[in-house]
Amino acid sequence: MSKQWDIKIAISCLTKNALTKSIGKCARYVRTAIEAGGLSTKGRPNSAYEYASFLPTIGFVQIEKLIGKAKQREWSNKNAKPGDIAVMKHGTHGHICMWNGKNWVSDFTQNNMWVYSGDGECTIFRYRS
């Protein structure tokens, strides 16, 4: 049984550890933040995109699907809450990041939710408190 998630600790951990550019370890960095905040990630997947099915098992609910950088930016500016997690299926392992209240952060501080060229779909999860 996991304890209540401390979003502030999770965000602090992720933001403090973020690098200036990606090293391809987004899932590890976000997982470490989730664990720092007090949730167990036992049974976690290896690939970032697989967190879309894993996050609901540890207390997150899917709240939105956003296609395109413009919609993602607008949603981030108006609706994102600290601790929200975005999961993307792209390439081999996909991508995962968390909103810290100002930026989307994974293994680096991102300029946008979608970090790839072109537009893609992001699934947003929020912890159910």
Side-chain angles (χ1 to χ4, degrees):
M1 178 101 180
S2 32
K3 62 183 180 179
Q4 185 69 13
W5 191 40
D6 189 322
I7 294 170
K8 289 180 182 177
I9 291 174
I11 290 168
S12 176
C13 172
L14 186 62
T15 302
K16 177 183 71 169
N17 291 322
L19 306 171
T20 56
K21 64 180 184 174
S22 177
I23 58 168
K25 303 291 182 192
C26 60
R28 177 183 297 167
Y29 278 62
V30 172
R31 170 187 52 86
T32 300
I34 291 169
E35 291 171 349
L39 295 180
S40 171
T41 61
K42 184 178 179 184
R44 70 183 174 268
N46 291 320
S47 292
Y49 79 88
E50 295 174 311
Y51 275 78
S53 58
F54 176 73
L55 289 172
T57 70
I58 61 170
F60 289 83
V61 294
Q62 180 182 321
I63 60 167
E64 193 69 65
K65 274 193 187 244
L66 301 163
I67 300 173
K69 285 183 181 178
K71 284 188 189 266
Q72 294 158 3
R73 191 174 297 108
E74 179 184 352
W75 189 89
S76 296
N77 291 333
K78 293 181 180 178
N79 302 304
K81 293 188 177 179
D84 284 354
I85 296 177
V87 179
M88 294 134 238
K89 184 166 182 165
H90 184 275
T92 303
H93 295 288
H95 186 65
I96 187 170
C97 54
M98 183 185 296
W99 181 251
N100 71 1
K102 182 179 178 187
N103 298 100
W104 289 98
V105 181
S106 54
D107 54 346
F108 70 109
T109 302
Q110 304 174 191
N111 292 323
N112 298 296
M113 183 188 301
W114 182 261
V115 294
Y116 306 105
S117 62
D119 283 332
E121 181 178 279
C122 299
T123 306
I124 312 298
F125 295 86
R126 184 170 288 158
Y127 188 73
R128 145 184 93 231
S129 51

